[in-house]
């Protein structure tokens, strides 16, 4: 079963020369599910040889620019490539008006339909399913309405035996720590959790509704995750080893991701 992750952007809001803002591509049996769409998304997709026409759905966590500014270009490029398949987009209610704005100015000549699905999860709630994967949304705690997403692969008994259990991935975008979060991602095989700040900046993390390296690691430990990926780095600290080293004190199986990284899930 083809189930893999590519990091298209691992930075936070401030520009970093070698790293894009938040964007990821999850491959499920040859189809792509995009998770957040920061600037530079399209260029990174081209660099990693990902087809725009294989995107089945887009999942947006919240309406901050570093998570959505790449969406307009993506929609336009899909039209230029002659897409005809419906594109499903999931996100907070405010995203619906943004898509309407785009279509009102740039929608002429589009041969495909955009189907927007409002996310308003108060707990772990299924929002999308296909033959191969179930996607659930869950609330995060940020300055504005924000959601994480959990992707659970649908597997046969043979595949469960081959891979030693269920294969799953969870994406925790911008959030401060809160007690319920570990429950939403309980038992996930691979967890991505923002770790915007090292511990020297713990005060800034709390004030800005973000997490530190240790916050991310504690969540992974409490959830019983198999592996932790961290990202969404502040531009104040360029040494990724600091983030990984701090998180590893609590959860050893951790990787501080960079743009272009690929992971088999």
């Amino acid at each position: 079963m083809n189930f893999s992750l590519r990091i298209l952007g691992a930075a936070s809001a401030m520009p970093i020369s070698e790293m894009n803002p938040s964007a990821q591509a999850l491959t499920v049996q040859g189809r792509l599910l995009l998770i957040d769409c920061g600037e530079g998304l399209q260029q990174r997709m081209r660099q990693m040889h990902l087809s725009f026409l294989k995107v089945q759905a887009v999942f947006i966590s919240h309406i901050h620019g570093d998570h959505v500014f790449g969406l307009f270009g993506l929609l336009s490029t899909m039209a230029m490539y002659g897409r005809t398949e419906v594109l499903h987009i999931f996100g907070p209610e405010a995203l619906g008006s943004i898509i309407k704005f785009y279509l009102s100015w740039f929608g002429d000549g589009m041969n495909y339909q955009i189907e927007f699905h409002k996310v308003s999860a108060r707990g772990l709630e299924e929002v999308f399913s296909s033959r191969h994967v179930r996607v659930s949304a869950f609330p995060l705690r940020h300055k504005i309405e924000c959601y994480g997403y959990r992707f659970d692969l649908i597997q046969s008994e043979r595949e469960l035996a081959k891979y030693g259990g269920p294969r799953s991935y969870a994406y925790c975008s911008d959030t401060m720590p809160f007690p319920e979060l570990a429950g939403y991602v309980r038992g996930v095989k691979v967890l991505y959790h923002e770790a915007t700040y090292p511990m020297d900046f713990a005060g800034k993390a709390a004030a800005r509704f973000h997490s530190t390296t240790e916050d991310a690691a504690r969540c992974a430990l409490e959830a019983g995750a198999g592996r932790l990926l961290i990202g969404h780095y502040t531009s104040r600290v360029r040494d990724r080893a600091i983030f990984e080293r701090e998180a590893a004190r609590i959860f050893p199986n951790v990787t501080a991701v960079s743009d272009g990284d690929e992971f088999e899930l």
Side-chain angles (χ1 to χ4, degrees), residues 14-162:
M14 293 298 290
I16 299 176
S17 59
E18 73 280 7
M19 200 171 288
N20 292 335
S22 294
Q24 299 185 1
L26 190 66
T27 299
V28 181
Q29 197 68 0
R31 303 304 304 277
L32 292 177
L33 305 179
L34 298 184
I35 314 169
D36 278 340
C37 292
E39 282 183 277
L41 163 76
Q42 294 189 87
Q43 183 180 30
R44 196 71 71 201
M45 287 182 69
R46 293 299 296 266
Q47 291 168 348
M48 302 187 77
H49 308 291
L50 298 175
S51 170
F52 296 102
L53 297 183
K54 289 185 179 179
V55 177
Q56 183 177 21
V58 178
F59 299 87
I60 299 295
S61 61
H62 64 297
I63 313 304
H64 276 164
D66 54 323
H67 296 258
V68 297
F69 281 164
L71 181 60
F72 280 9
L74 175 72
L75 299 179
S76 178
T77 298
M78 287 178 174
M80 289 189 288
Y81 270 107
R83 183 188 181 103
T84 57
E85 180 186 358
V86 172
L87 178 67
H88 297 274
I89 302 181
F90 297 80
E93 182 175 10
L95 181 60
S97 60
I98 293 174
I99 293 171
K100 287 181 180 178
F101 167 80
Y102 169 82
L103 292 173
S104 70
W105 282 94
F106 308 107
D108 287 350
M110 284 181 59
N111 292 320
Y112 71 96
Q113 177 185 347
I114 294 174
E115 190 169 326
F116 172 65
H117 304 265
K118 181 180 74 172
V119 175
S120 56
R122 296 186 177 181
L124 187 65
E125 299 180 11
E126 186 174 309
V127 294
F128 175 79
S129 65
S130 69
R131 290 174 52 204
H132 304 295
V133 68
R134 285 188 298 270
V135 185
S136 302
F138 51 90
L140 295 175
R141 192 164 296 178
H142 195 41
K143 290 182 179 180
I144 63 172
E145 185 180 10
C146 187
Y147 298 98
Y149 295 97
R150 177 171 179 149
F151 304 81
D152 288 282
L153 205 60
I154 298 171
Q155 298 169 259
S156 67
E157 291 298 324
R158 180 181 176 184
E159 290 162 346
L160 287 168
K162 177 180 178 181

